Amino acid sequence: MFRARTSTARASLARSYGTSLKVPAAPAGSEQVFHAQVMLPKYSLSNQKWFGLFFACNFGAYAGHYFYLHFLMPANPPNPPRDANQARPEKHMHAVDDE
C-alpha cells in the first residue's frame, strides 16, 4: 500500500515541475507542421568535418600555448654567483623580533 502511494506521488511530482501559468493553445488551422525541407540549416557540418575542425582547433590552441612558452615568453636570468668573501648577516632580514 505504501509503495503504491509513493509511486503515485512520484508520478504526480514528475509531471508538475513546469509552469503554473496557462499554456497557450495553438491557433485554429495550425495543425499542419512546417516541414524542414524548406528550412535548410544555414551552417551544417558532417560528423567528420566537425570533429576535424574540433581537433584542429585544439591542436592550434595547444601549439600556440607551447610556442608562446618556449619562444616568446622571456626567461628569468640566472641568479648571480655568490661572493664567498662577503660577510654573512648576523640576523636574517625577515626574522621576527621576539627579543
Side-chain angles (χ1 to χ4, degrees):
M1 186 74 165
F2 181 70
R3 287 185 184 177
R5 286 183 191 165
T6 56
S7 64
T8 306
R10 281 188 199 150
S12 65
L13 286 176
R15 292 186 192 128
S16 65
Y17 69 90
T19 179
S20 60
L21 302 172
K22 286 185 176 182
V23 178
S30 64
E31 294 86 23
Q32 176 66 31
V33 177
F34 194 71
H35 56 84
Q37 292 176 350
V38 178
M39 296 292 291
L40 291 175
K42 193 169 188 178
Y43 303 105
S44 178
L45 296 175
S46 66
N47 253 1
Q48 186 177 3
K49 289 180 184 177
W50 192 92
F51 278 105
L53 184 63
F54 176 74
F55 287 122
C57 290
N58 274 324
F59 176 76
Y62 280 100
H65 167 74
Y66 286 108
F67 175 79
Y68 176 78
L69 285 181
H70 291 289
F71 297 110
L72 300 179
M73 189 170 83
N76 288 337
N79 289 332
R82 294 182 183 258
D83 184 11
N85 299 326
Q86 185 179 10
R88 294 185 178 265
E90 294 178 10
K91 188 175 180 182
H92 193 270
M93 67 176 83
H94 297 132
V96 179
D97 294 328
D98 285 342
E99 298 172 8

